[in-house]
Amino acid sequence: MNLKADLDACYLPSEDIVVREIEGELIIVPLVSGIGDMEDELFTLNQTGRAIWEKLDGRKTLEDIVGELSSEYDASAGEIEKDVLGLIGELLKRKMLVAAQRD
C-alpha cells in the first residue's frame, strides 16, 4: 500500500471508520483494530483538515482539491498543497483513507 499522498490520485474515507461532528469538530473513529494509533484512537480535524476532508469524494484529485481551496482561502497554493499532502499522508498512514479506483 502506498502511504505517500499523490496529487494525481483521488481518495475516499475508509469503510472502517465512522465520522461524527461533536461541538463543531469532526472526529474520526476507527471501527476495527489496526486503524489509527494505539495512543490516539480518535482523530480530530481542525478547520483546515475539515475543509480538506469535505472535498474527498473519490472523484476529485488532490490537485483539484488544492485548486478549489486556493480559490476559497487566502493562502498560497504552495501552502495549501503542503497542508493537503500532510493531512492525506497522515490519514493514509492511519488507514483512514483509501485510494479511489479511477474509471
Side-chain angles (χ1 to χ4, degrees), residues 1-95:
M1 176 182 194
N2 183 7
L3 296 180
K4 188 171 191 274
D6 179 357
L7 281 173
D8 294 325
C10 303
Y11 297 94
L12 285 169
S14 168
E15 292 181 5
D16 296 327
I17 62 166
V18 170
V19 179
R20 296 286 182 254
E21 182 174 350
I22 299 174
E23 295 185 15
E25 282 191 308
L26 282 186
I27 300 177
I28 303 171
V29 182
L31 296 176
V32 298
S33 63
I35 290 186
D37 184 329
M38 294 303 286
E39 298 171 5
D40 185 21
E41 286 295 320
L42 301 178
F43 192 82
T44 60
L45 296 175
N46 62 18
Q47 184 178 2
T48 302
R50 182 180 185 144
I52 297 166
W53 180 268
E54 290 175 346
K55 295 187 180 297
L56 295 170
D57 62 6
R59 295 184 306 272
K60 295 176 192 159
T61 65
L62 293 186
E63 189 169 16
D64 294 336
I65 291 171
V66 168
E68 286 181 17
L69 291 171
S70 294
S71 67
E72 294 172 17
Y73 294 94
D74 186 26
S76 71
E79 186 177 343
I80 290 172
E81 181 178 308
K82 181 180 172 188
D83 288 345
V84 168
L85 291 174
L87 176 64
I88 300 307
E90 182 66 25
L91 293 173
L92 286 170
K93 181 175 85 173
R94 292 173 180 256
K95 302 177 186 168

